[in-house]
Amino acid sequence: NDDNQKQKYRGGTSYFAAYTRRPPHAGNRYPKNNMIMPLSSQPQKMMIQESKNRNADDYRLKQAEKVESSIMQMGQLFSQMATLISEQSEVLTRIEDDVEAGLMDTKEASKSMDSFYEVTKGNRGMILKIFALLILFAFLFLVWT
């Protein structure tokens, strides 16, 4: 009889079935310990396990959201980097064009200076004669005055 009553109280599957009042003892209508006490710890363990699972799932969800946010930020950074690289490519192209134009100008200037050197090289003797003649006239002018 007592075993049947215990089975009857333990038979529920809900979470609240774990806590029930003790069945009254035979002949004693008010037992000494009239407290609520668990008859089976399995539903309680299931509640604790589900709570742990829920907490673990929440933690995993938060971590996944952080990872997703980080991936989105990385995507934005890569997009910005691609834009900067594209702009730098245009700038480098302009610099390269300017350097090539400067090189061409320098080559033309070098040719011009070489041709001027050849012209002055042939006239060097004549330039020295004219300079000597000017010094002679200056000396004669100073001596006679």
Side-chain angles (χ1 to χ4, degrees):
N1 191 12
D2 194 33
D3 288 336
N4 288 339
Q5 286 180 344
K6 285 181 183 177
Q7 289 298 329
K8 188 176 172 185
Y9 284 106
R10 290 184 185 171
T13 58
S14 72
Y15 296 123
F16 300 108
Y19 294 99
T20 59
R21 293 208 176 262
R22 279 186 150 183
H25 297 293
N28 188 357
R29 189 170 180 179
Y30 301 103
K32 290 182 183 177
N33 192 355
N34 196 13
M35 294 177 31
I36 297 175
M37 57 183 296
L39 293 178
S40 173
S41 64
Q42 186 174 0
Q44 186 179 10
K45 286 180 184 177
M46 287 175 56
M47 274 180 47
I48 292 171
Q49 186 63 34
E50 285 183 16
S51 175
K52 286 180 183 178
N53 289 344
R54 201 172 309 119
N55 289 339
D57 290 345
D58 289 344
Y59 176 76
R60 282 189 220 122
L61 177 65
K62 287 177 184 175
Q63 293 302 317
E65 288 172 349
K66 285 182 183 179
V67 168
E68 180 185 17
S69 173
S70 297
I71 290 172
M72 289 178 66
Q73 288 176 350
M74 291 285 286
Q76 290 173 351
L77 288 175
F78 279 117
S79 173
Q80 291 173 353
M81 186 65 92
T83 302
L84 289 174
I85 289 172
S86 174
E87 291 172 1
Q88 290 298 319
S89 174
E90 294 170 7
V91 170
L92 287 176
T93 303
R94 282 187 274 149
I95 290 172
E96 184 180 6
D97 292 343
D98 291 343
V99 167
E100 288 177 3
L103 178 64
M104 297 302 291
D105 291 342
T106 304
K107 286 182 179 180
E108 288 179 26
S110 177
K111 287 180 185 177
S112 178
M113 288 183 72
D114 286 341
S115 67
F116 180 71
Y117 176 73
E118 291 298 322
V119 169
T120 57
K121 182 180 174 185
N123 295 333
R124 196 176 274 171
M126 189 164 92
I127 291 172
L128 286 174
K129 290 175 188 175
I130 292 173
F131 186 67
L133 192 63
L134 283 173
I135 290 176
L136 180 68
F137 282 131
F139 181 70
L140 288 176
F141 180 73
L142 288 176
V143 172
W144 278 15
T145 50

